[in-house]
Amino acid sequence: MKNNIFNKKTSLTLASMLVASGMASAQELADSSMINVAFGKVAKTDLMGGVSQVNVQDQLKKDYSSNSLNNLQSLIGGYNGNIWGQAPLILVDGAPRSASDINATEVEEITVLKGASAVALYGSKGAKGVILISTKRGKIQPLTIEARANTGLYVPKRYAEFLGAAEYMSLYNEALLNDDPTQPKKYSDEQIYNTAQGTNPYRYPDMDFFSSDYLRKAYNRTNATVEVTGGSKFAKYYANFGVDYNGGLIKYGEHKKDKNLNFRIRSNIDATITDWLKAYVNVGINISNKYTGRGDFWGAANTLRPNWYTGLVPISMIDPNNASLQQMVNGTIHHIDGKYLVGGSSDNQTTVFGDMLLAGYVKDKNRTFSFDVGTKADLSMITKGLSFETAFSIDYWDYYSEAYNLGYSTYEPTWGNVNGKDMIVGLTKYGKDSQSTSEYIGSSQYYQSMAFRAQFNYVNTFAKYHNVDATLAAWGFSKQNAVDENHESSSGVKGSAYHKTTNANLGLRLGYNYNHTYYAELAAAAVHSPKLAEGHREAISPSVTLGWRLSQEKWFKNTLPFFDEAKVNASYAVLNQDIDISDYYMYKGYYNMKGGWYQWQDGTQGGNTNSSVRGANDQLTFVKRKEWRIGLETSLFNGLVTLDFNYFNQLTDGLLTNGSATLYPIYFNTYPNGSFLPWTNYNQDTRKGFDYALYVNKKIGKVDAKLGFTGQVYSSEAKRREENNGDNTYLNAQGQPLDVIRGYVCEGFFTQQDIDHLNANLEQSDPNFVPKHTFGEVKAGDLKYKDVNGDGVVDSKDQVVMGKYGWSACPYIFGVNLTLKWKQFTLFAAGTGQMGAKAFRSNDWRFGTSKYTTVVRGRWTPETAATATYPRLTALENSNNFRNSGFWIYRTDRFDLNKVQLTYDMPTRWFEGKMVSGMSVYLLGESLLTISKNRKYMETSYGSPSCRYYNLGLKMSF
């Protein structure tokens, strides 16, 4: 079999040629074969497990995206937005930053640190996994320029299917009669008929928000990027300039101007100051301007009943002979094109129509600035292999809104019939008109983040085979949030937060390998947390890793010659973290005195208005991630097949509980003294499973093919819980998955006979006995639930385990990616999937004044009792039917075809002697297909819709 991958000898020859020609430095070539890990780089062959890497620069040649974490789940195992079921810390060039602030074209490499041993040096805040995003840097080469331009369309997948006004009115009348057969209909047959016939859409409205009157079929996104790279051995530079425009789907009122316009600039500079000292500076700037018309269109589209009021009142249909009405019209400041007044009602004195047409707009402005400065010193003059690095980062993020807002009046018409024609004979006015010529500042938010790193590195080889490396690193960061006093941030912060988000730790890593065959690594971090009491704020987080490259052994090569590479590794770590300690001062007790918050002090108790709110526990300590992991990395048949596999078993120990069920006596939580219950470290969670990334590389005729399979099998358990459910042990959280689904066992619909037996107050021993349901009055057509514990009553104690939600990770997640290259054509496809989780169809819960979807057509009636797929209709806030039960549950198993891209790289001979040195054109589609039994429900959005995206792109090199 022909191997299309460079062998080691060829690689070395090519490397020597590049260095000799001055096209690349030896250090650059060495760096290109290294993978970023915590506070350093390591050769792929020496990499221990629990780490995955994606070369984004290479990926972009066949898989363009602006999202820096694009298609990551389909490329590596163990990731689905979370790492092994937990939310990771994201570091961009070593500093905590948002991945959304980085465009994919700026990124060189992404490394996902999954194992506890891989993240130990990052201290408390990195204890749930870390994603390292490394931006591109300059190279020793002449000035090169790459430019991209993309334009595409977002096309909505599916809108919710709501009933028209006439059908809604008929069914709402049915709901009222179901609730009380003696009450009159709300809507007359004449109203329903005229609405169905469209006799007069202003008198008999039928609002369809999903029509072409309000929505475009698609909206555009266009972006352009220019990258500049170059440098010499003294200075290297990289710059990225980009602009991104997004339109909007809504084309009504001020919303037809909705748009996003984003600008970004990145500049990374590396300088060689002396032979032993280097420095670098990174600067990133993002400017985002968003224009949005007022009015919650999507909220109204999914909640506002289609006949509820007249959106627009036609002036031409107002009685011209009614002087008072004409005076009201003439006195109106705001009208629509001189033809309409804004409609409304006593319950809707401001409306989505008035908001969109008259109220104004909001301009959201985001500004992000990031700055890194660092130095690298080669201290080999002191001792061979010693170096020192230090870096400082600072980020500013600022948001504020400029807004224009007008008050307006709405009008409720009274209709009559004049000379055989519909005529408005009365108007009720609500609200007041206002005028303004100036914008104002709506809200503002701000944060500042600073990070500092200093480290000594030591790398050396003794007696040819003994390789030693070590890192001593000090690292810390802080983030301060501020919000204007009248608003809250997205995380709920109101005003300026007193406490910063901080991390500070000192880390030491010692590594040794013999002849790149036997590996041992010890690491430890000294962590600090201000969330804990003095004397408990410091801890040590140790880890140990062992590895063995079997493929280096002669006996292994002779026995299994088809293995190119085989490496096994194992690790154990105990990481102390305060991420799961939700707030500061939770170790302190405090006292509530007439509504105020006071620290506990002797003598403050007095009177019934004073009470303890919480007891103190100065022994509160860190939550611990205790984990052992086994990994396997292999390559077979000259690179035909590669496999990266990790098994992990993780215990999260010391999660907080207040001990109200079993740890403390009942009088710790009694009136009038209040609660003396303290927070304590007690609960435990486990997470375990395995991930994998399997790749097959093969040349089939003239086609180079690469097929990848990634995935994760995952389970979790509440290992220990402080709880007491008495004899109803099936209600215990302990022993169940962390994302357990509980609900009621549905036994179908109540029949009238069931209701008669229920009202007869039969003895439980009677064969016709029906358990009492405690969720309000039930009638025929309501859902009937099983009395699980047999106490004759259906209540909260009758919930059972029905599956797993898969919130953080489904029991099985997987990805697939395919690359086919033929001549100048490259086809790339990527997809992801999940299996084993469930959810409830809560979007189908339509009761009270909810807007009806087509699902209610399957409602229960006496005539459809045998075939009904939906409970009886009700205009009340029914609490029996619409709760989690087996009736509403569905499986969330799915496979999504996330990306298909076809790229054509034009032959280089076309550009010989030209200013343009290369050109590629590509077509791509995103979010193209979902395969699932419940696809229709999954693709239906009850807010802004999910969309498919189709893009045409052009890339040029100069």
Side-chain angles (χ1 to χ4, degrees):
M1 181 186 69
K2 183 178 179 181
N3 181 15
N4 62 346
I5 301 175
F6 286 133
N7 60 36
K8 187 174 182 180
K9 182 177 179 181
T10 305
S11 299
L12 291 173
T13 303
L14 178 60
S16 300
M17 293 172 59
L18 291 172
V19 173
S21 66
M23 295 178 63
S25 69
Q27 185 60 49
E28 284 180 335
L29 288 169
D31 287 346
S32 68
S33 64
M34 306 290 278
I35 293 176
N36 288 314
V37 293
F39 298 101
K41 292 177 178 254
V42 64
K44 173 66 176 175
T45 54
D46 295 332
L47 183 66
M48 294 295 101
V51 177
S52 297
Q53 178 260 356
V54 175
N55 188 313
V56 178
Q57 187 172 21
D58 289 344
Q59 190 70 19
L60 283 174
K61 295 176 182 177
K62 59 183 179 182
D63 175 21
Y64 173 76
S65 175
S66 61
N67 180 359
S68 61
L69 301 180
N70 176 49
N71 286 328
L72 211 57
Q73 181 179 336
S74 65
L75 300 174
I76 65 173
Y79 175 83
N80 68 332
N82 291 322
I83 297 176
W84 292 353
Q86 299 193 86
L89 173 69
I90 296 177
L91 303 177
V92 179
D93 291 332
R97 288 169 179 146
S98 171
S100 62
D101 290 336
I102 304 297
N103 189 276
T105 59
E106 302 173 47
V107 179
E108 176 75 32
E109 177 184 305
I110 293 176
T111 308
V112 180
L113 307 180
K114 298 177 285 189
S117 59
V119 300
L121 295 186
Y122 285 114
S124 177
K125 293 298 188 289
K128 295 191 176 185
V130 175
I131 296 178
L132 305 178
I133 299 177
S134 304
T135 59
K136 296 177 181 177
R137 312 213 66 80
K139 299 177 181 178
I140 298 177
Q141 65 181 34
L143 170 68
T144 61
I145 299 175
E146 286 192 353
R148 285 182 185 266
N150 294 273
T151 187
L153 294 174
Y154 283 100
V155 181
K157 291 182 179 180
R158 185 183 299 274
Y159 294 116
E161 297 177 358
F162 291 103
L163 300 185
E167 188 175 5
Y168 167 79
M169 295 159 76
S170 296
L171 294 183
Y172 191 75
N173 280 344
E174 180 182 313
L176 291 172
L177 293 174
N178 286 339
D179 296 331
D180 183 0
T182 64
Q183 65 178 317
K185 295 179 179 179
K186 181 175 180 62
Y187 303 108
S188 68
D189 293 342
E190 179 185 7
Q191 286 177 294
I192 296 172
Y193 175 81
N194 286 326
T195 300
Q197 295 299 312
T199 304
N200 179 352
Y202 302 106
R203 185 172 185 177
Y204 307 103
D206 186 0
M207 294 180 284
D208 179 8
F209 286 95
F210 301 102
S211 70
S212 59
D213 293 337
Y214 302 100
L215 295 174
R216 300 181 176 95
K217 292 183 178 180
Y219 70 93
N220 174 254
R221 176 185 177 183
T222 298
N223 62 64
T225 301
V226 176
E227 297 179 84
V228 179
T229 310
S232 66
K233 66 178 181 178
F234 300 107
K236 296 175 290 185
Y237 53 88
Y238 169 80
N240 185 301
F241 308 91
V243 60
D244 196 329
Y245 166 84
N246 283 276
L249 277 174
I250 309 170
K251 65 175 186 179
Y252 189 80
E254 198 66 25
H255 275 295
K256 63 187 175 184
K257 300 177 184 178
D258 287 358
K259 62 183 178 182
N260 262 351
L261 189 60
N262 304 316
F263 301 91
R264 67 179 185 279
I265 301 172
R266 168 163 292 279
S267 178
N268 295 345
I269 299 174
D270 296 89
T272 300
I273 301 172
T274 68
D275 291 341
W276 59 273
L277 183 62
K278 297 179 180 180
Y280 66 87
V281 174
N282 306 329
V283 177
I285 300 173
N286 288 345
I287 300 173
S288 175
N289 297 313
K290 180 180 180 181
Y291 184 100
T292 309
R294 290 190 179 276
D296 182 5
F297 175 85
W298 297 113
N302 290 285
T303 59
L304 185 60
R305 289 169 280 178
N307 67 314
W308 203 233
Y309 57 78
T310 299
L312 298 176
V313 177
I315 295 175
S316 62
M317 300 185 76
I318 298 175
D319 187 353
N321 298 316
N322 189 318
S324 62
L325 293 182
Q326 293 302 317
Q327 183 179 4
M328 185 180 295
V329 171
N330 294 331
T332 300
I333 297 175
H334 303 309
H335 54 75
I336 313 303
D337 300 329
K339 299 179 181 179
Y340 303 99
L341 304 177
V342 177
S345 67
S346 59
D347 294 328
N348 298 271
Q349 298 189 17
T350 60
T351 70
V352 66
F353 296 96
D355 288 344
M356 291 192 294
L357 292 166
L358 299 174
Y361 55 81
V362 178
K363 296 178 181 178
D364 296 304
K365 298 179 181 292
N366 286 280
R367 307 290 184 262
T368 304
F369 173 79
S370 63
F371 176 79
D372 307 316
V373 60
T375 60
K376 300 179 180 180
D378 182 356
L379 303 180
S380 58
M381 75 287 289
I382 300 175
T383 185
K384 182 182 177 182
L386 182 65
S387 63
F388 175 77
E389 298 181 26
T390 185
F392 175 76
S393 302
I394 187 166
D395 290 51
Y396 295 98
W397 177 86
D398 176 74
Y399 162 81
Y400 69 97
S401 64
E402 295 177 355
Y404 182 66
N405 194 8
L406 291 179
Y408 58 89
S409 301
T410 56
Y411 299 84
E412 184 176 11
T414 301
W415 291 89
N417 191 283
V418 179
N419 297 324
K421 294 183 179 181
D422 287 339
M423 189 74 69
I424 296 173
V425 296
L427 282 175
T428 302
K429 180 180 178 180
Y430 304 103
K432 296 174 64 176
D433 293 328
S434 66
Q435 286 184 312
S436 176
T437 59
S438 60
E439 295 179 335
Y440 64 94
I441 299 297
S443 64
S444 62
Q445 300 179 34
Y446 165 86
Y447 80 67
Q448 173 183 295
S449 177
M450 292 186 292
F452 174 77
R453 167 175 58 90
Q455 65 185 85
F456 284 96
N457 302 310
Y458 179 75
V459 180
N460 208 346
T461 300
F462 299 92
K464 189 177 179 179
Y465 300 114
H466 300 277
N467 303 293
V468 177
D469 63 289
T471 298
L472 176 63
W475 183 65
F477 69 85
S478 68
K479 180 178 178 181
Q480 179 71 55
N481 298 283
V483 185
D484 68 271
E485 61 180 0
N486 296 317
H487 298 86
E488 289 187 3
S489 70
S490 58
S491 59
V493 176
K494 190 170 184 179
S496 299
Y498 178 76
H499 281 287
K500 302 176 181 179
T501 299
T502 60
N503 182 86
N505 66 277
L506 180 69
L508 174 65
R509 183 184 61 83
L510 302 174
Y512 167 81
N513 75 75
Y514 175 78
N515 196 26
H516 301 284
T517 304
Y518 310 106
Y519 297 83
E521 182 177 288
L522 298 174
V527 300
H528 172 85
S529 174
K531 293 182 178 180
L532 301 171
E534 292 184 12
H536 298 276
R537 291 177 177 174
E538 286 74 35
I540 301 295
S541 297
S543 74
V544 58
T545 305
L546 300 175
W548 182 17
R549 282 182 69 195
L550 289 84
S551 54
Q552 292 291 90
E553 303 283 4
K554 289 183 179 180
W555 61 266
F556 188 89
K557 294 178 181 179
N558 294 333
T559 306
L560 302 170
F562 51 86
F563 274 88
D564 317 315
E565 182 72 57
K567 179 169 55 179
V568 294
N569 51 75
S571 64
Y572 179 77
V574 178
L575 305 186
N576 292 275
Q577 54 98 344
D578 65 358
I579 305 172
D580 291 313
I581 301 175
S582 60
D583 208 347
Y584 292 86
Y585 304 117
M586 295 184 75
Y587 60 90
K588 278 185 172 292
Y590 70 86
Y591 200 77
N592 191 334
M593 182 172 168
K594 297 181 179 180
W597 285 49
Y598 297 87
Q599 296 296 324
W600 178 268
Q601 292 182 4
D602 291 340
T604 56
Q605 185 174 359
N608 291 335
T609 58
N610 302 332
S611 62
S612 174
V613 178
R614 185 172 71 207
N617 178 12
D618 289 344
Q619 302 302 308
L620 198 70
T621 187
F622 289 90
V623 179
K624 293 176 171 56
R625 172 182 176 179
K626 302 176 180 179
E627 176 185 286
W628 61 273
R629 179 198 57 81
I630 299 174
L632 171 67
E633 297 175 45
T634 63
S635 174
L636 297 86
F637 304 112
N638 293 322
L640 174 66
V641 178
T642 62
L643 172 66
D644 183 6
F645 173 91
N646 287 282
Y647 174 82
F648 59 92
N649 191 308
Q650 182 187 127
L651 171 68
T652 304
D653 188 16
L655 293 163
L656 271 57
T657 180
N658 63 11
S660 59
T662 62
L663 295 183
Y664 299 101
I666 191 171
Y667 56 78
F668 268 46
N669 189 24
T670 57
Y671 181 84
N673 295 321
S675 173
F676 292 86
L677 295 171
W679 289 107
T680 188
N681 301 99
Y682 182 84
N683 289 347
Q684 295 179 340
D685 293 342
T686 61
R687 297 173 177 85
K688 57 186 176 181
F690 63 86
D691 71 38
Y692 63 88
L694 175 67
Y695 279 88
V696 179
N697 302 270
K698 186 171 180 61
K699 191 174 183 67
I700 306 172
K702 295 183 178 181
V703 177
D704 290 314
K706 183 176 183 179
L707 179 61
F709 300 94
T710 65
Q712 174 183 274
V713 174
Y714 173 85
S715 65
S716 65
E717 180 185 345
K719 184 71 172 178
R720 186 169 71 185
R721 284 294 182 272
E722 203 279 319
E723 59 187 346
N724 183 6
N725 288 298
D727 295 334
N728 301 315
T729 56
Y730 59 90
L731 295 175
N732 289 345
Q734 184 167 309
Q736 298 296 338
L738 299 178
D739 55 350
V740 66
I741 288 180
R742 292 184 184 272
Y744 298 91
V745 178
C746 184
E747 296 184 317
F749 300 106
F750 274 107
T751 65
Q752 187 56 52
Q753 187 180 42
D754 291 329
I755 299 300
D756 293 340
H757 290 157
L758 182 65
N759 294 333
N761 294 320
L762 302 175
E763 295 292 333
Q764 192 168 351
S765 59
D766 192 301
N768 293 320
F769 174 79
V770 176
K772 179 183 178 182
H773 284 48
T774 60
F775 312 125
E777 181 184 7
V778 291
K779 296 185 176 183
D782 287 331
L783 297 183
K784 182 170 62 173
Y785 304 125
K786 182 178 180 178
D787 177 16
V788 173
N789 62 1
D791 63 356
V793 176
V794 174
D795 55 19
S796 61
K797 296 178 181 179
D798 292 297
Q799 296 181 79
V800 299
V801 173
M802 293 187 163
K804 304 175 183 179
Y805 279 109
W807 284 324
S808 60
C810 288
Y812 179 48
I813 59 173
F814 62 94
V816 60
N817 62 86
L818 172 67
T819 303
L820 299 175
K821 186 171 179 59
W822 177 72
K823 295 184 178 181
Q824 272 72 49
F825 290 95
T826 303
L827 176 67
F828 175 79
T832 57
Q834 64 181 45
M835 297 179 66
K838 298 178 181 179
F840 295 104
R841 292 184 289 114
S842 57
N843 284 328
D844 286 344
W845 295 356
R846 300 285 152 175
F847 58 93
T849 57
S850 302
K851 189 175 183 179
Y852 287 172
T853 65
T854 55
V855 70
V856 303
R857 289 173 177 165
R859 69 202 180 280
W860 184 97
T861 65
E863 296 75 25
T864 66
T867 59
T869 58
Y870 196 84
R872 71 176 178 96
L873 295 182
T874 174
L876 302 176
E877 298 298 313
N878 188 291
S879 62
N880 182 80
N881 297 337
F882 303 105
R883 59 183 56 246
N884 293 343
S885 76
F887 184 85
W888 302 106
I889 205 165
Y890 72 99
R891 299 187 68 89
T892 60
D893 298 351
R894 63 189 295 168
F895 173 77
D896 295 293
L897 181 60
N898 297 326
K899 169 70 82 60
V900 175
Q901 178 172 320
L902 179 63
T903 305
Y904 178 68
D905 299 314
M906 300 179 189
T908 55
R909 66 178 184 275
W910 292 5
F911 305 99
E912 293 179 358
K914 304 291 195 305
M915 182 178 68
V916 176
S917 60
M919 186 178 297
S920 301
V921 62
Y922 48 91
L923 290 168
L924 68 86
E926 293 181 344
S927 301
L928 295 175
L929 174 67
T930 297
I931 300 174
S932 174
K933 181 180 178 181
N934 298 290
R935 176 182 62 85
K936 181 177 178 181
Y937 182 81
M938 290 177 171
E939 289 188 342
T940 301
S941 173
Y942 288 82
S944 179
S946 57
C947 295
R948 295 180 175 88
Y949 180 60
Y950 306 94
N951 181 80
L952 172 64
L954 176 67
K955 176 185 175 183
M956 294 186 294
S957 301
F958 300 89

XYZ file of all heavy atoms in Angstrom, residues 158 814 833-838 841 844 886-887 889-896 929-940:
273
model
N -38.381 25.679 10.187
C -39.793 25.370 10.421
C -40.379 26.349 11.433
O -39.767 26.636 12.456
C -39.934 23.940 10.956
C -41.377 23.474 11.112
C -41.409 22.070 11.724
N -40.735 21.109 10.874
C -41.309 20.471 9.865
N -42.582 20.709 9.583
N -40.636 19.593 9.156
N -21.979 11.356 19.437
C -21.037 10.915 18.418
C -20.922 11.960 17.319
O -21.754 12.871 17.189
C -21.460 9.569 17.833
C -22.791 9.583 17.122
C -22.877 9.779 15.745
C -23.967 9.384 17.837
C -24.107 9.777 15.100
C -25.203 9.394 17.202
C -25.270 9.584 15.826
N -24.413 13.548 16.461
C -25.637 12.903 16.895
C -25.626 12.628 18.382
O -24.613 12.791 19.072
N -26.764 12.193 18.868
C -26.911 11.844 20.278
C -27.971 10.770 20.408
O -28.892 10.678 19.587
C -27.302 13.067 21.111
C -28.662 13.654 20.753
C -28.998 14.880 21.573
O -28.176 15.767 21.761
N -30.233 14.939 22.065
N -27.830 9.943 21.439
C -28.782 8.866 21.685
C -28.919 8.652 23.188
O -27.988 8.916 23.953
C -28.319 7.565 21.007
C -28.233 7.632 19.494
S -27.643 6.085 18.757
C -29.012 4.994 19.175
N -30.095 8.176 23.591
C -30.288 7.741 24.962
C -30.929 8.731 25.904
O -31.123 8.414 27.080
N -31.287 9.918 25.426
C -31.894 10.931 26.295
C -33.365 11.137 25.920
O -33.814 10.753 24.832
C -31.139 12.242 26.206
N -34.093 11.769 26.817
C -35.516 12.038 26.611
C -35.841 13.456 27.050
O -35.047 14.121 27.715
C -36.378 11.040 27.398
C -36.195 9.586 26.990
C -37.036 8.653 27.846
C -36.850 7.206 27.462
N -37.650 6.292 28.320
N -42.577 17.225 25.746
C -43.089 18.123 24.710
C -43.877 19.277 25.358
O -45.065 19.467 25.115
C -43.962 17.351 23.730
C -43.206 16.363 22.871
C -44.083 15.675 21.846
N -44.996 14.720 22.470
C -46.312 14.839 22.507
N -46.914 15.899 21.997
N -47.054 13.909 23.081
N -46.107 21.843 23.515
C -47.457 21.454 23.097
C -48.495 21.715 24.178
O -49.677 21.430 23.979
C -47.487 19.966 22.728
C -46.819 19.680 21.398
O -46.600 20.621 20.636
O -46.505 18.494 21.132
N -45.582 10.493 31.370
C -45.266 9.650 30.219
C -46.048 10.019 28.983
O -45.660 9.648 27.867
N -47.147 10.750 29.132
C -47.938 11.159 27.968
C -47.148 12.109 27.069
O -47.314 12.085 25.845
C -49.232 11.839 28.443
C -50.161 12.209 27.326
C -51.047 11.267 26.824
C -50.163 13.485 26.775
C -51.916 11.599 25.787
C -51.009 13.826 25.749
C -51.901 12.881 25.248
N -43.672 12.529 27.044
C -42.244 12.251 26.896
C -41.914 11.811 25.472
O -42.749 11.210 24.778
C -41.805 11.185 27.925
C -40.320 11.303 28.234
C -42.155 9.767 27.449
C -39.896 10.551 29.475
N -40.709 12.138 25.034
C -40.247 11.683 23.718
C -38.737 11.515 23.769
O -38.045 12.090 24.602
C -40.642 12.661 22.614
C -39.865 13.958 22.607
C -38.791 14.156 21.744
C -40.204 15.004 23.471
C -38.080 15.352 21.730
C -39.499 16.195 23.462
C -38.443 16.361 22.590
O -37.718 17.534 22.581
N -38.223 10.714 22.848
C -36.786 10.475 22.764
C -36.146 11.571 21.913
O -36.695 11.981 20.886
C -36.498 9.105 22.148
C -37.070 7.941 22.958
C -36.599 6.603 22.396
N -35.171 6.422 22.609
C -34.637 5.870 23.687
N -35.423 5.447 24.667
N -33.330 5.732 23.814
N -34.989 12.027 22.362
C -34.283 13.091 21.643
C -33.176 12.555 20.739
O -32.293 13.301 20.323
C -33.686 14.106 22.635
O -32.760 13.428 23.496
C -34.769 14.755 23.474
N -33.205 11.253 20.439
C -32.216 10.678 19.535
C -32.257 11.415 18.196
O -33.338 11.645 17.638
C -32.502 9.197 19.290
C -32.432 8.368 20.558
O -31.999 8.903 21.585
O -32.821 7.185 20.514
N -31.068 11.744 17.685
C -31.022 12.494 16.426
C -29.637 12.409 15.801
O -28.641 12.149 16.477
C -31.371 13.964 16.662
C -30.393 14.706 17.556
C -30.893 16.079 17.933
N -31.001 16.972 16.785
C -31.622 18.149 16.818
N -32.195 18.554 17.955
N -31.677 18.917 15.746
N -29.609 12.616 14.507
C -28.352 12.823 13.790
C -28.521 14.075 12.947
O -29.506 14.233 12.219
C -27.997 11.645 12.890
C -26.794 11.923 12.018
C -25.516 11.873 12.562
C -26.942 12.280 10.688
C -24.402 12.160 11.773
C -25.833 12.553 9.888
C -24.560 12.490 10.439
N -27.542 14.984 13.054
C -27.585 16.243 12.317
C -26.432 16.310 11.325
O -25.262 16.140 11.710
C -27.473 17.429 13.278
C -28.663 17.522 14.208
O -29.768 17.788 13.720
O -28.486 17.314 15.425
N -29.616 18.942 7.615
C -30.535 17.819 7.723
C -30.537 17.280 9.146
O -29.487 17.180 9.777
C -30.102 16.707 6.752
C -30.862 15.383 6.801
C -32.302 15.594 6.327
C -30.165 14.339 5.943
N -31.718 16.946 9.628
C -31.870 16.253 10.905
C -32.615 14.959 10.663
O -33.684 14.960 10.042
C -32.639 17.108 11.924
O -31.899 18.290 12.206
C -32.858 16.341 13.216
N -32.029 13.865 11.128
C -32.681 12.566 11.034
C -33.112 12.161 12.434
O -32.281 11.956 13.318
C -31.733 11.509 10.435
C -31.296 11.926 9.021
C -32.407 10.140 10.396
C -30.248 11.009 8.421
N -34.398 12.088 12.639
C -34.936 11.740 13.952
C -36.406 11.392 13.809
O -37.115 11.950 12.961
C -34.779 12.905 14.937
O -35.413 12.620 16.165
N -36.868 10.505 14.648
C -38.281 10.176 14.688
C -39.103 11.395 15.065
O -40.261 11.540 14.639
C -38.509 9.037 15.680
C -39.952 8.587 15.802
C -40.094 7.453 16.802
C -41.553 7.029 16.948
N -41.711 5.924 17.941
N -38.521 12.297 15.846
C -39.229 13.494 16.312
C -38.662 14.760 15.671
O -38.616 15.824 16.293
C -39.135 13.581 17.834
C -39.785 12.400 18.524
O -41.001 12.258 18.507
N -38.968 11.540 19.127
N -38.206 14.639 14.438
C -37.564 15.768 13.750
C -38.478 16.994 13.690
O -38.027 18.115 13.936
C -37.185 15.349 12.328
C -36.591 16.478 11.487
C -36.290 16.010 10.078
N -37.503 15.581 9.394
C -38.330 16.412 8.755
N -38.073 17.712 8.735
N -39.392 15.959 8.145
N -39.740 16.808 13.356
C -40.638 17.951 13.199
C -40.717 18.769 14.483
O -40.622 20.004 14.453
C -42.031 17.472 12.795
C -43.031 18.590 12.575
C -44.371 18.041 12.114
C -45.389 19.164 11.938
N -46.712 18.642 11.497
N -40.870 18.089 15.611
C -40.944 18.807 16.881
C -39.624 19.478 17.207
O -39.589 20.623 17.672
C -41.340 17.846 18.001
C -41.491 18.525 19.341
C -42.652 19.207 19.668
C -40.456 18.506 20.267
C -42.792 19.846 20.892
C -40.586 19.136 21.491
C -41.755 19.801 21.795
O -41.878 20.442 22.989
N -38.508 18.785 16.974
C -37.197 19.329 17.311
C -36.856 20.558 16.482
O -36.181 21.471 16.965
C -36.129 18.260 17.103
C -36.175 17.125 18.115
S -34.923 15.883 17.730
C -35.018 14.845 19.172
N -37.281 20.592 15.238
C -36.941 21.709 14.366
C -37.880 22.897 14.527
O -37.605 23.976 14.009
C -36.936 21.268 12.903
C -35.793 20.368 12.534
C -35.712 20.101 11.048
O -36.716 20.336 10.338
O -34.652 19.650 10.582
N -38.982 22.712 15.248
C -39.943 23.792 15.428
C -39.513 24.675 16.584
O -39.322 24.207 17.704
C -41.341 23.233 15.699
O -41.741 22.404 14.606
C -42.347 24.366 15.852
